Amino acid sequence: MAARTGSLATALVAGLGLAAAVPGCTAEGSVSLHFDVPDDPALRPGGAASLTLVTQIDADAPRATTTQIGADGQVDLGDLPVADEVWLSAELRSAQGQLVGYGRASAPLAILADADVEATIPVRRPFAYIAGAGNRLVSVDASLGRSAGYQTQVALPGSAEVVADVAGTDLATVSAQGALAYVSTATHGASSLPGAQLGPSPTDAIATPDGAYLLVAHAGTSPQVSVIEVATGQVKVAPTPMAADRVATTRGSDGGWWGVALLGRATVDTGCPGSKLAVFRLTDPETATVIDAGAGISDVGGDARSGLIVLADRCGNRLLRFDPVSQAIDQAAIVDGIKAPTALAVLDGHVWAVGHDRLTTTSPEIPDGVIDAWLVVASADLDGDPSQVMELPPIVERVLAENADYPDQDLVQDLHANWVEADDLAISPSGDLLALTLSTILHGDALGDDGFGGVLIPRVDVTTQEYWLFDPSTTVTNQRIRTSCVADEGPCGAFCLVPDWSCLPDIDASVSGTFAPSGIAVLFGAR
Amino acid sequence: MGRDGAASRAIAATIAALVAIAGVPAAWADGGGKGKPGAGAASPDDAEARRKVAVLEYRAGSTALPGLDRRIAGLLKQQTSLTVIDADEARKDYGARLDAAVVDCGGEPACIAKIGAKVGAREVVLVGVSEFGDVILTLQRIDVRRGKVAVRIAEALAEDASPDDAALVGYLRRVMPENDFLRFGTIKVTANLAGAQVFLGKDPKGKTPIAPLRVHAPATYQIRLTKDGYVPFTARVQVPPDGDIEVDARLTREGGGAWYTRWWVAAIAGVVIAGGVGAGYLLTREPPTAVPGTGTID
């Protein structure tokens, strides 16, 4: 008995000792983050002077802390919030405030009050990638403006019809024949992720923000959406009754990842035939359901934060919300009054869209009836904040007269666009830059004088394809690459002054020569 | 080591498991958090008490009462259970144009409400300072969703007046709902058994697993867990304002088994636990809501 009493006393002391030790258990923890940047100086963010760490918990407003970077790359991040799920992203900026690097953790971090936590965040230069140039991607560094080397090429083992950002660390490319391959963003070489053979005729691709799944839309004879488990390369298929033109993904209100494919993309501004939406869980794409969108939809974009898909109603001149879980389209427009939206991108509860508009006339002086065409940019919060719609200046292309090469003067004419249309849109991870590809059609009527011998300057038709990096806050186009420009002249008279015209090289040419962009991706960005 | 040594290790382990007090992540503290099991137990009042209020300042050409918005934000943080966004925090969310945007609003509630919405606030306390001979101090509580003023007060102060904290709290009590000045803490009860009835004092609160209990603070509460066939568990906890207390109860079977599972041992253990909780509270009054971070770019 005495022995037992002694044991009990020991036990009670042990119990009190535990209580006293509680502060030890709750002693202040710490967070140590490794911002992983590429070794290659050409890919490593250059000139970073400060690091801004953005933390976000649930739906709270994000918190940003900026700190100067020490000479040895060390940064003091200040206090980080204790929470089960903290989303972290990092921005590297130059002394002038230019974004030179961006990174984001692919999963939330559990920050504990009483434990030391370590995590790695990949950080990359703010690259955009353009597909369609054959066996290479054109990479465009947004941090370099138009300075030397802002365009480079990434060699690929095969052609790339579409490209998608995979959590910032990899790029997925799919050839016209359906070969899926990955490129490491740390090396611009082959990635260790397993490739796969998909169906042919890819039209679009998007990865979930965590990089777990890749979705590829297909047209052609086997319309479908491929859903690839990125880590394993396992492929499942969502069958679609017609070509899947665009695809988007979001984390639904049920917590699962969902995919939505646009079938029958609207290609006209009036009288759009109705589109359809194929809706499926990424874990179970075979059971996709197809619903009528009730309007001609030209693009879809997913927002993982809200669980919504945004639809661009081209003929209705508006943007709508679609909940893939309930499969309901909210008819209350997020943006109402954006003319002919053709491309959109959604990031963190905010949508950007690009449409277009024209000024027409019945004046006989303008036989084709179109004076100008321009892009329209709209933005809005998905929660219904007032939207903004902004018209950009009309598109004007300057063409140069050939065979009229005077020693001290050139002969040029300005062609005003008859048509401009955004084909694709991506938004930078910081949410302040838009990367878009677009097509223009420009037309100049013939100048003639019947008394002087008929046509003096021929009709000139020009078609162009371009890449823009556009800052909507300043309406400045920071980068503009003309990937294609074709001039076609009509017949000219006996006294023709200038029969031949060519595109003026006043816009940056592509380092990959002439090609038609077929897809764009922005590292850590959104579509 | 003999049997007694083994027994002492066993009881130490048992008592150690009986209660653990730890800081609970802030995300959990406001009534269970989104999408988490048992989240529905928090009352609507809890969310109301935790609502976000931004404190912004609008000056009409007056330099009197400098830093008043910061003082008012500090007092709201100190005296209420509101989540208060001061001007510095609002500036991080809204951007450097915050002050200019407030000026542009010219005191218009709907305009101020839009700024409030941008920084994630449900209400804005707009501190206005102007001078018409006297210094005119106005406090408006603006409902962000409605874009309208809920309550407005105005005080004329002498030119050189400097209201102390008590005076400012007096103003705030006229502007803010009385309930805002009630403060809360959280008790998270976990147990080794499902289906144990949890009592807060005499009030049954449900069975384990149970959502965090949001309680008025500072206050002392008795937590009791019962289940047929098991020795009841009792603990007494002191909950500080905005504090989070975690009670991990381990119920043991009645009778039979090892001697340390018998009721009288549990009763003694309960005393220990109560003391332990008290000590835990005193030493961990404010569980850390943030920890230091460092980084390496490489």
Side-chain angles (χ1 to χ4, degrees):
Chain A
M1 185 65 196
R4 285 183 176 174
T5 305
S7 298
L8 177 59
T10 304
L12 293 176
V13 170
L16 288 167
L18 170 74
V22 164
C25 294
T26 58
E28 191 173 77
S30 69
V31 176
S32 177
L33 298 179
H34 172 215
F35 299 98
D36 175 55
V37 294
D39 294 330
D40 184 345
L43 304 179
R44 189 184 181 94
S50 66
L51 182 146
T52 298
L53 184 72
V54 180
T55 59
Q56 179 152 28
I57 301 169
D58 293 332
D60 290 352
R63 299 281 174 188
T65 305
T66 300
T67 185
Q68 297 303 305
I69 300 170
D72 53 357
Q74 302 291 318
V75 284
D76 179 354
L77 303 172
D79 284 342
L80 302 181
V82 171
D84 289 341
E85 291 190 353
V86 182
W87 288 94
L88 297 172
S89 60
E91 297 176 1
L92 298 182
R93 291 186 182 274
S94 67
Q96 293 73 38
Q98 169 79 41
L99 182 75
V100 296
Y102 185 90
R104 185 169 57 225
S106 59
L109 186 68
I111 297 180
L112 308 174
D114 56 356
D116 298 329
V117 177
E118 296 181 0
T120 295
I121 298 178
V123 177
R124 302 288 185 266
R125 284 194 185 200
F127 274 118
Y129 297 88
I130 312 170
N135 291 4
R136 54 193 177 265
L137 296 172
V138 174
S139 61
V140 187
D141 185 343
S143 68
L144 294 181
R146 292 182 63 187
S147 58
Y150 83 92
Q151 288 187 66
T152 53
Q153 298 182 73
V154 180
L156 301 173
S159 66
E161 196 70 13
V162 296
V163 60
D165 165 52
V166 183
T169 57
D170 297 274
L171 295 167
T173 64
V174 186
S175 71
Q177 293 72 38
L180 166 65
Y182 294 94
V183 173
S184 165
T185 61
T187 63
H188 277 179
S191 162
S192 59
L193 292 173
Q197 180 59 49
L198 312 177
S201 306
T203 55
D204 193 19
I206 189 83
T208 53
D210 61 0
Y213 294 98
L214 174 72
L215 289 77
V216 179
H218 301 268
T221 55
S222 303
Q224 60 189 35
V225 178
S226 299
V227 178
I228 303 99
E229 194 175 279
V230 171
T232 64
Q234 183 184 0
V235 181
K236 295 181 180 177
V237 169
T240 58
M242 53 197 290
D245 297 316
R246 305 288 286 168
V247 67
T249 183
T250 187
R251 190 188 289 278
S253 55
D254 60 352
W257 287 109
W258 287 77
V260 173
L262 170 61
L263 316 180
R265 184 182 192 186
T267 56
V268 291
D269 292 350
T270 56
C272 293
S275 304
K276 296 180 184 296
L277 302 173
V279 188
F280 49 89
R281 293 174 191 272
L282 300 196
T283 53
D284 189 21
E286 296 88 348
T287 58
T289 58
V290 177
I291 64 169
D292 288 325
I297 304 300
S298 56
D299 200 6
V300 291
D303 177 43
R305 179 181 294 183
S306 64
L308 296 173
I309 299 287
V310 180
L311 312 176
D313 177 359
R314 182 164 178 167
C315 290
N317 303 320
R318 58 185 185 159
L319 305 181
L320 301 171
R321 285 165 287 210
F322 173 65
D323 182 345
V325 178
S326 65
Q327 301 194 356
I329 297 174
D330 184 349
Q331 294 299 326
I334 318 166
V335 175
D336 203 353
I338 174 175
K339 287 291 182 77
T342 56
L344 63 80
V346 195
L347 177 70
D348 291 342
H350 196 84
V351 60
W352 288 94
V354 181
H356 55 260
D357 200 359
R358 301 196 300 175
L359 177 62
T360 58
T361 178
T362 57
S363 167
E365 293 181 357
I366 302 177
D368 65 16
V370 183
I371 298 174
D372 269 316
W374 58 89
L375 293 175
V376 181
V377 177
S379 71
D381 286 340
L382 297 189
D383 62 8
D385 260 16
S387 59
Q388 294 183 326
V389 179
M390 171 172 53
E391 295 187 342
L392 304 190
I395 301 287
V396 177
E397 190 82 20
R398 182 161 290 185
V399 291
L400 174 71
E402 293 182 355
N403 304 319
D405 189 16
Y406 300 101
D408 60 350
Q409 62 180 292
D410 291 317
L411 193 59
V412 298
Q413 65 169 318
D414 288 341
L415 302 183
H416 290 228
N418 278 16
W419 187 263
V420 58
E421 178 174 337
D423 300 317
D424 207 348
L425 175 67
I427 189 164
S428 69
S430 51
D432 53 1
L433 293 173
L434 304 180
L436 64 152
T437 55
L438 56 94
S439 309
T440 69
I441 299 174
L442 305 101
H443 174 79
D445 293 312
L447 173 65
D449 184 337
D450 291 339
F452 195 66
V455 176
L456 301 179
I457 295 177
R459 163 191 60 81
V460 180
D461 285 305
V462 173
T463 56
T464 72
Q465 291 183 304
E466 299 184 11
Y467 165 84
W468 285 16
L469 183 68
F470 177 72
D471 182 344
S473 67
T474 61
T475 70
V476 170
T477 303
N478 296 336
Q479 294 170 337
R480 186 175 177 185
I481 301 170
R482 189 160 54 199
T483 62
S484 168
C485 181
V486 178
D488 175 58
E489 303 90 356
C492 210
F495 295 94
C496 184
L497 298 176
V498 184
D500 300 317
W501 297 82
S502 63
C503 300
L504 192 67
D506 56 344
I507 301 172
D508 295 345
S510 158
V511 292
S512 284
T514 296
F515 70 97
S518 54
I520 55 173
V522 173
L523 286 191
F524 298 106
R527 265 256 336 273
Chain B
M1 188 173 290
R3 178 180 173 179
D4 289 337
S8 69
R9 280 202 308 275
I11 193 171
T14 301
I15 294 178
L18 281 170
V19 65
I21 309 157
V24 178
W28 166 86
D30 58 359
K34 290 174 184 166
K36 296 187 178 171
S43 72
D45 289 346
D46 297 343
E48 176 65 19
R50 281 284 191 182
R51 73 187 191 281
K52 284 189 177 178
V53 174
V55 178
L56 304 175
E57 186 176 79
Y58 171 53
R59 288 179 175 270
S62 173
T63 57
L65 306 174
L68 188 62
D69 60 324
R70 283 189 175 80
R71 287 181 61 198
I72 285 178
L75 289 169
L76 284 174
K77 288 179 181 176
Q78 189 182 72
Q79 304 270 339
T80 71
S81 280
L82 299 168
T83 299
V84 179
I85 304 167
D86 63 24
D88 289 337
E89 292 162 322
R91 215 166 277 121
K92 288 177 189 170
D93 292 338
Y94 191 91
R97 275 208 79 255
L98 174 71
D99 301 296
V102 172
V103 170
D104 289 346
C105 284
E108 168 60 34
C111 182
I112 294 292
K114 288 180 183 173
I115 297 174
K118 285 284 185 190
V119 301
R122 284 186 55 187
E123 292 181 343
V124 174
V125 172
L126 183 65
V127 181
V129 182
S130 59
E131 291 182 50
F132 297 99
D134 292 340
V135 173
I136 307 298
L137 167 64
T138 61
L139 292 177
Q140 298 180 66
R141 179 160 62 89
I142 297 170
D143 185 316
V144 166
R145 288 179 188 167
R146 294 172 54 236
K148 293 182 177 176
V149 175
V151 179
R152 180 181 188 280
I153 66 165
E155 289 289 325
L157 306 174
E159 193 175 350
D160 57 351
S162 177
D164 60 16
D165 285 354
L168 293 180
V169 170
Y171 300 150
L172 288 171
R173 283 187 174 275
R174 291 161 57 193
V175 173
M176 308 305 292
E178 189 178 336
N179 282 350
D180 286 350
F181 294 88
L182 296 175
R183 304 190 69 185
F184 297 86
T186 311
I187 305 171
K188 183 182 182 185
V189 180
T190 57
N192 60 322
L193 300 171
Q197 180 70 52
V198 178
F199 292 88
L200 182 68
K202 294 180 180 177
D203 299 332
K205 291 295 183 182
K207 293 183 177 180
T208 57
I210 187 171
L213 305 173
R214 194 152 179 80
V215 295
H216 289 301
T220 300
Y221 294 91
Q222 185 180 60
I223 299 291
R224 194 160 65 93
L225 281 78
T226 63
K227 184 176 174 75
D228 287 347
Y230 290 83
V231 178
F233 171 93
T234 303
R236 191 174 175 80
V237 295
Q238 295 178 36
V239 182
D242 301 323
D244 305 310
I245 297 294
E246 184 172 330
V247 177
D248 185 10
R250 184 164 292 271
L251 278 70
T252 53
R253 283 197 174 279
E254 289 178 337
W259 63 269
Y260 50 80
T261 65
R262 292 176 188 151
W263 71 268
W264 51 272
V265 176
I268 294 171
V271 175
V272 174
I273 293 156
V277 170
Y281 157 56
L282 290 172
L283 294 169
T284 61
R285 179 190 304 267
E286 295 288 349
T289 57
V291 295
T294 56
T296 306
I297 302 169
D298 185 23

